[in-house]
Amino acid sequence: MSDEEYFRSCVARERRLAQLLGHEVEEYADSAGTLWEGRTPMPKWTRDWAACGALIAEYELSIAFTHAPGEAHSSAVSVGPVIVRLAEHPDAEHALRFAVVKAVVHLLEHGACHRMPLRRQHLPDPEPPHC
């Protein structure tokens, strides 16, 4: 997968999460990779630790790195019901953030999450209007 394809897959996963959380998002050509709801930028959950960390806390996700027998380093990360292979991502941190978002999407799509977070809980404060 090329860097551009990987980037697009991250944005697509973020778009799906935003939709499941009840947001109507748009992406503009002059700010590729940033999703917007009105004038408010959406979190970059797969690309920003602060945004991703909020999801881990909100959904009380368990995280475990798995080692193949005889391997010194992890080969995959499990987040809740999701397993993501580290080799499919640029590094372990990217794989972990991607897995967190994928796990929350899975929980919301499959009704495993009985509570929906507040719509604005993971969003920055909107910018004041420019005068």
XYZ file of all heavy atoms in Angstrom, residues 57-107:
382
model
N -10.068 6.006 26.507
C -10.675 6.249 27.820
C -12.196 6.157 27.765
O -12.817 5.520 28.624
C -10.245 7.611 28.350
N -12.805 6.778 26.760
C -14.266 6.796 26.659
C -14.846 5.393 26.533
O -15.853 5.066 27.146
C -14.702 7.636 25.455
C -16.181 7.589 25.159
C -17.058 8.262 26.216
O -16.570 9.153 26.910
O -18.230 7.871 26.323
N -14.216 4.549 25.723
C -14.749 3.218 25.459
C -14.086 2.132 26.304
O -14.376 0.959 26.121
C -14.657 2.901 23.966
C -15.599 3.774 23.191
C -15.177 4.973 22.647
C -16.945 3.437 23.065
C -16.060 5.801 21.975
C -17.827 4.258 22.402
C -17.379 5.441 21.859
O -18.245 6.263 21.211
N -13.195 2.548 27.218
C -12.525 1.626 28.131
C -11.943 0.430 27.384
O -12.183 -0.732 27.712
C -13.480 1.181 29.240
C -13.997 2.339 30.060
C -15.024 1.941 31.112
O -15.373 0.751 31.217
O -15.465 2.847 31.834
N -11.183 0.741 26.340
C -10.631 -0.297 25.479
C -9.433 -0.989 26.111
O -8.565 -0.338 26.694
C -10.205 0.316 24.140
C -11.322 0.937 23.313
C -10.742 1.670 22.120
C -12.313 -0.118 22.883
N -9.395 -2.298 25.993
C -8.224 -3.055 26.434
C -7.284 -3.193 25.240
O -7.712 -3.411 24.116
C -8.630 -4.419 26.972
O -9.284 -5.162 25.969
N -5.995 -3.075 25.522
C -4.979 -3.116 24.477
C -3.946 -4.176 24.849
O -3.486 -4.225 25.992
C -4.278 -1.746 24.342
C -5.303 -0.679 23.931
C -3.123 -1.820 23.353
C -4.788 0.738 24.025
N -3.606 -5.008 23.885
C -2.574 -6.016 24.115
C -1.769 -6.220 22.834
O -2.339 -6.325 21.749
C -3.209 -7.337 24.535
N -0.464 -6.237 22.986
C 0.408 -6.560 21.860
C 0.694 -8.054 21.921
O 0.931 -8.602 22.994
C 1.715 -5.762 21.948
C 1.540 -4.315 21.588
C 1.188 -3.391 22.545
C 1.706 -3.893 20.282
C 1.022 -2.059 22.218
C 1.533 -2.562 19.934
C 1.187 -1.635 20.912
N 0.623 -8.699 20.767
C 0.842 -10.146 20.727
C 2.160 -10.465 20.042
O 2.547 -9.796 19.079
C -0.310 -10.863 20.002
O -0.438 -10.316 18.683
C -1.623 -10.673 20.728
N 2.823 -11.469 20.557
C 4.101 -11.922 20.010
C 3.914 -13.295 19.385
O 3.301 -14.168 19.987
C 5.152 -12.031 21.116
C 5.535 -10.719 21.704
N 4.771 -10.056 22.636
C 6.608 -9.941 21.488
C 5.359 -8.944 22.973
N 6.476 -8.837 22.298
N 4.450 -13.464 18.212
C 4.486 -14.797 17.608
C 5.523 -15.615 18.377
O 6.501 -15.063 18.890
C 4.848 -14.695 16.133
N 5.327 -16.905 18.461
C 6.297 -17.742 19.185
C 7.717 -17.525 18.657
O 7.947 -17.538 17.452
C 5.823 -19.170 18.913
C 4.371 -19.032 18.572
C 4.238 -17.695 17.899
N 8.635 -17.279 19.576
C 10.028 -17.097 19.208
C 10.393 -15.709 18.719
O 11.558 -15.427 18.462
N 9.430 -14.823 18.573
C 9.696 -13.465 18.094
C 9.953 -12.533 19.268
O 9.282 -12.604 20.289
C 8.506 -12.939 17.283
C 8.277 -13.665 15.983
C 9.383 -13.425 14.976
O 9.904 -12.301 14.898
O 9.734 -14.384 14.259
N 10.918 -11.651 19.119
C 11.262 -10.697 20.174
C 10.292 -9.511 20.195
O 10.070 -8.904 21.229
C 12.685 -10.193 19.981
N 9.730 -9.193 19.043
C 8.849 -8.035 18.942
C 7.436 -8.468 18.584
O 7.219 -9.524 17.998
C 9.373 -7.057 17.890
C 10.716 -6.502 18.232
N 10.909 -5.542 19.196
C 11.949 -6.799 17.747
C 12.195 -5.255 19.294
N 12.848 -6.013 18.413
N 6.496 -7.616 18.914
C 5.091 -7.893 18.632
C 4.836 -7.965 17.138
O 5.475 -7.280 16.349
C 4.212 -6.789 19.216
O 4.387 -6.708 20.594
N 3.868 -8.783 16.776
C 3.476 -8.889 15.378
C 2.089 -8.296 15.147
O 1.715 -8.027 14.014
C 3.485 -10.352 14.929
O 2.613 -11.113 15.744
N 1.345 -8.084 16.235
C -0.010 -7.554 16.110
C -0.402 -6.841 17.404
O 0.223 -7.044 18.442
C -0.998 -8.674 15.815
N -1.434 -6.038 17.282
C -2.014 -5.383 18.455
C -3.496 -5.698 18.474
O -4.162 -5.666 17.436
C -1.752 -3.859 18.463
C -2.358 -3.169 17.250
C -2.268 -3.221 19.748
N -3.986 -6.049 19.653
C -5.413 -6.310 19.839
C -5.999 -5.167 20.637
O -5.474 -4.803 21.688
C -5.628 -7.610 20.621
O -5.058 -8.692 19.936
N -7.077 -4.618 20.127
C -7.799 -3.557 20.827
C -9.255 -3.980 20.861
O -9.900 -4.058 19.812
C -7.645 -2.193 20.140
C -8.435 -1.125 20.882
C -6.171 -1.798 20.048
N -9.742 -4.264 22.060
C -11.099 -4.777 22.164
C -11.248 -5.973 21.247
O -10.427 -6.891 21.283
N -12.265 -5.959 20.368
C -12.520 -7.106 19.499
C -11.698 -7.134 18.205
O -11.890 -7.997 17.363
C -14.005 -6.941 19.162
C -14.200 -5.459 19.150
C -13.311 -4.937 20.253
N -10.767 -6.204 18.040
C -10.055 -6.015 16.771
C -8.588 -6.413 16.908
O -7.943 -6.102 17.908
C -10.164 -4.531 16.340
C -9.243 -4.209 15.196
C -11.605 -4.187 15.987
N -8.073 -7.085 15.881
C -6.648 -7.408 15.805
C -6.096 -6.768 14.540
O -6.663 -6.916 13.456
C -6.413 -8.932 15.765
C -6.939 -9.578 17.037
C -4.926 -9.230 15.555
C -6.921 -11.093 17.011
N -4.989 -6.035 14.695
C -4.354 -5.354 13.571
C -2.896 -5.801 13.503
O -2.184 -5.757 14.510
C -4.446 -3.817 13.743
C -3.587 -3.100 12.723
C -5.892 -3.354 13.635
N -2.471 -6.226 12.326
C -1.077 -6.644 12.129
C -0.184 -5.407 12.006
O -0.473 -4.501 11.238
C -0.953 -7.505 10.881
C -1.637 -8.866 11.010
C -1.564 -9.719 9.755
N -0.458 -9.474 8.852
C 0.753 -10.052 8.943
N 1.000 -10.896 9.903
N 1.688 -9.775 8.066
N 0.895 -5.394 12.767
C 1.805 -4.247 12.764
C 2.469 -4.052 11.408
O 2.721 -2.917 10.989
C 2.876 -4.413 13.845
C 2.378 -4.515 15.284
C 3.552 -4.629 16.237
C 1.486 -3.356 15.660
N 2.727 -5.133 10.686
C 3.411 -5.051 9.393
C 2.612 -4.279 8.343
O 3.178 -3.832 7.352
C 3.711 -6.452 8.877
N 1.322 -4.098 8.575
C 0.476 -3.399 7.608
C 0.451 -1.890 7.836
O -0.298 -1.178 7.161
C -0.943 -3.968 7.677
C -1.003 -5.428 7.263
C -2.352 -6.071 7.493
O -3.268 -5.397 8.011
O -2.481 -7.260 7.163
N 1.276 -1.401 8.778
C 1.297 0.017 9.138
C 2.733 0.510 9.187
O 3.662 -0.283 9.328
C 0.597 0.207 10.489
C -0.833 -0.230 10.440
N -1.859 0.610 10.080
C -1.410 -1.444 10.650
C -2.992 -0.054 10.085
N -2.743 -1.308 10.428
N 2.924 1.827 9.074
C 4.292 2.364 9.078
C 5.085 2.014 10.340
O 6.299 1.814 10.276
C 4.089 3.877 8.972
C 2.755 4.038 8.323
C 1.934 2.878 8.809
N 4.417 1.953 11.493
C 5.078 1.592 12.741
C 4.009 1.170 13.752
O 2.801 1.216 13.459
C 5.937 2.742 13.279
C 5.158 4.033 13.474
O 3.997 3.990 13.946
O 5.715 5.106 13.176
N 4.457 0.761 14.935
C 3.526 0.252 15.953
C 2.552 1.325 16.429
O 1.392 1.032 16.731
C 4.311 -0.317 17.134
N 2.992 2.567 16.514
C 2.103 3.639 16.968
C 0.964 3.875 15.984
O -0.189 4.033 16.382
C 2.884 4.933 17.198
C 3.800 4.847 18.392
C 4.465 6.166 18.719
O 3.961 7.229 18.292
O 5.497 6.138 19.412
N 1.277 3.888 14.696
C 0.229 4.032 13.678
C -0.752 2.867 13.764
O -1.963 3.051 13.676
C 0.831 4.098 12.274
C 1.399 5.424 11.909
N 2.676 5.804 12.252
C 0.855 6.455 11.232
C 2.897 7.021 11.799
N 1.807 7.448 11.168
N -0.207 1.659 13.910
C -1.061 0.471 13.994
C -1.976 0.544 15.209
O -3.163 0.215 15.115
C -0.201 -0.791 14.062
N -1.463 0.997 16.334
C -2.275 1.088 17.545
C -3.391 2.107 17.393
O -4.548 1.823 17.712
C -1.400 1.436 18.749
C -2.135 1.638 20.071
C -3.000 0.437 20.434
C -1.126 1.940 21.175
N -3.085 3.286 16.877
C -4.140 4.302 16.688
C -5.199 3.793 15.708
O -6.394 3.963 15.935
C -3.527 5.624 16.222
C -2.761 6.352 17.311
C -2.369 7.755 16.886
N -1.572 7.770 15.670
C -0.244 7.823 15.642
N 0.455 7.859 16.755
N 0.393 7.842 14.489
N -4.762 3.168 14.621
C -5.694 2.621 13.642
C -6.580 1.559 14.294
O -7.791 1.522 14.082
C -4.930 2.038 12.454
C -5.773 1.739 11.264
C -6.023 2.712 10.305
C -6.339 0.487 11.083
C -6.808 2.443 9.197
C -7.124 0.207 9.983
C -7.361 1.193 9.033
N -5.975 0.704 15.110
C -6.726 -0.362 15.783
C -7.753 0.204 16.757
O -8.864 -0.321 16.872
C -5.770 -1.304 16.508
N -7.400 1.268 17.455
C -8.342 1.898 18.390
C -9.566 2.404 17.631
O -10.710 2.134 18.021
C -7.660 3.042 19.169
C -8.687 3.926 19.873
C -6.658 2.480 20.166
N -9.343 3.115 16.545
C -10.465 3.648 15.767
C -11.282 2.506 15.174
O -12.520 2.516 15.232
C -9.966 4.621 14.676
C -11.107 5.048 13.761
C -9.307 5.830 15.331
N -10.608 1.507 14.652
C -11.303 0.355 14.078
C -12.150 -0.350 15.143
O -13.273 -0.769 14.879
C -10.285 -0.611 13.468
C -10.887 -1.734 12.679
C -9.798 -2.539 11.970
C -10.424 -3.668 11.170
N -9.403 -4.442 10.458
N -11.633 -0.457 16.362
C -12.372 -1.103 17.449
C -13.617 -0.305 17.832
O -14.692 -0.885 18.028
C -11.471 -1.288 18.665
N -13.496 1.005 17.924
C -14.663 1.827 18.271
C -15.706 1.747 17.168
O -16.906 1.612 17.440
C -14.262 3.288 18.571
C -15.490 4.168 18.775
C -13.353 3.349 19.801
N -15.274 1.796 15.921
C -16.212 1.643 14.798
C -16.923 0.299 14.911
O -18.149 0.219 14.780
C -15.477 1.784 13.439
C -16.352 1.286 12.291
C -15.055 3.226 13.216
N -16.172 -0.757 15.171
C -16.760 -2.089 15.310
C -17.802 -2.109 16.435
O -18.908 -2.634 16.259
C -15.667 -3.119 15.588
C -16.188 -4.491 15.845
N -16.474 -5.369 14.823
C -16.510 -5.123 16.988
C -16.939 -6.491 15.341
N -16.973 -6.373 16.660
N -17.453 -1.559 17.577
C -18.380 -1.547 18.714
C -19.663 -0.783 18.381
O -20.766 -1.226 18.714
C -17.699 -0.929 19.939
C -16.565 -1.741 20.542
C -15.831 -0.929 21.598
C -17.075 -3.060 21.118
